[in-house]
Amino acid sequence: MRINNLEAALIRKPSHSDLISKDGIIDLLEHHEVFDLTIFDETDSTNDVLKEMAKNGAPEWTAVIARRQNRGRGRLGRSFVSPEGGLYMSLLLRPELSATESLFITTAAAVSVAEAIESMGVKKVGIKWVNDIYIDNRKVCGILTEGAADPTNGRLSYAILGIGVNVITPDEAFPDELKNKAGSIFGSDAPHDALCSLTAAILNRLYCRFSSHNKTDHLSEYRSRSVIVGKNVTLKINGKELRAKALNINDDLSLLIKTDDDNITSVLSGDVTVTDF
Ligand code: BTN
């Protein structure tokens, strides 16, 4: 009984200092003057809140962050479970890209998030094509980029870069169906202010990347972090399943695969599961 009490005392519970705060982030930003941050305790989806702001003319680098989301959204119409302990952030970009190039935003963001996580002492942060971050075979982050194209020239009039990271999310917070799939970056070993530090580390890298780099500069790092290249995978495309070997990620970000019947082809989107980790 006394041992149980001792164990309970040693298990680190999220405390007030773990709460994400505007001041805590701004203090760590390299270019705090360019960002306009709004933080909510709770919202439906930060992407939806920011979309309204974008339509009303909000400037680039406006960011909406929530401590919890009630209707977090993921790719392919899925929901994104968003309990306290995670980072749920949407960032407004107004890039010189066509709507069809928005995958370059998602993948550059994936590299930025992976680097930011590693800057906090975590090793081997991988990326699963196209938008998921993995540590130890568990998904710790998903990215959803949504945008609106200008019909006159096909260019993006804005892009909403939505990033959801399980930072200090307790295992119990994940529903049963995600228990062996989702993970959190930190457990009881979380550094003080992990949420603010990670948020600032991500924003610093995103600013650097999107304000000056070429749209393809991140590709070699994106490829080198791939957890699927060289692996046998199952691809779900439009409800159909395809077994293949992932060979590479092409310059246009499509996935080069060799199917079971030895055909080499490229796919631009789909849901990948690794069958041999
Ligand atoms: C995915 O895993 O398919 C993408 C998940 C993206 C989740 C983030 S959390 C912040 C932003 N708001 C949302 O509703 N979704 C994105």
Side-chain angles (χ1 to χ4, degrees), residues 10 22 26 37 56-57 83 98 136 165 196 199 206 225 227 263:
L10 289 174
K22 187 168 170 171
I26 286 177
L37 305 184
N56 291 324
S98 67
D136 290 338
V165 196
C196 288
T199 308
L206 290 175
R225 287 184 181 275
V227 296
N263 263 332

Side-chain angles (χ1 to χ4, degrees), residues 52-232:
E52 284 312 304
M53 293 166 82
K55 285 184 200 157
N56 291 324
E60 191 166 44
W61 309 114
T62 300
V64 172
I65 295 171
R67 297 189 178 109
R68 295 180 295 279
Q69 294 185 119
N70 298 319
R71 283 203 206 127
R73 291 187 291 106
R75 275 173 74 233
L76 309 170
R78 297 196 185 115
S79 62
F80 188 78
V81 177
S82 313
E84 194 153 315
L87 163 65
Y88 313 108
M89 171 164 74
S90 300
L91 179 67
L92 178 56
L93 300 168
R94 295 191 183 274
E96 301 268 309
L97 292 176
S98 67
T100 51
E101 291 172 316
S102 56
L103 265 190
F104 287 94
I105 301 175
T106 307
T107 50
V111 170
S112 304
V113 173
E115 287 173 347
I117 296 172
E118 284 185 354
S119 76
M120 298 188 66
V122 179
K123 296 212 166 58
K124 292 201 182 153
V125 182
I127 301 175
K128 191 180 80 149
W129 182 84
V130 56
N131 66 329
D132 292 336
I133 309 272
Y134 272 68
I135 300 173
D136 290 338
N137 295 343
R138 302 269 175 126
K139 174 170 167 173
V140 297
C141 167
I143 298 173
L144 174 68
T145 306
E146 299 178 296
D150 179 339
T152 61
N153 56 18
R155 290 196 164 271
L156 283 169
S157 42
Y158 65 81
I160 308 279
L161 171 60
I163 301 174
V165 196
N166 306 322
V167 184
I168 48 171
T169 317
D171 275 351
E172 316 84 76
F174 296 118
D176 284 348
E177 67 271 20
L178 292 183
K179 283 254 152 58
N180 297 319
K181 295 181 179 161
S184 184
I185 298 174
F186 299 111
S188 53
D189 55 342
H192 176 73
D193 259 352
L195 279 160
C196 288
S197 304
L198 182 68
T199 308
I202 293 172
L203 287 174
N204 284 336
R205 280 167 179 77
L206 290 175
Y207 183 72
C208 177
R209 213 156 237 128
F210 289 120
S211 62
S212 57
H213 289 197
N214 183 288
K215 73 170 198 249
T216 54
D217 282 353
H218 63 286
L219 285 190
S220 60
E221 194 180 338
Y222 182 81
R223 285 189 187 105
S224 71
R225 287 184 181 275
S226 174
V227 296
I228 65 165
V229 168
K231 302 266 167 68
N232 291 321

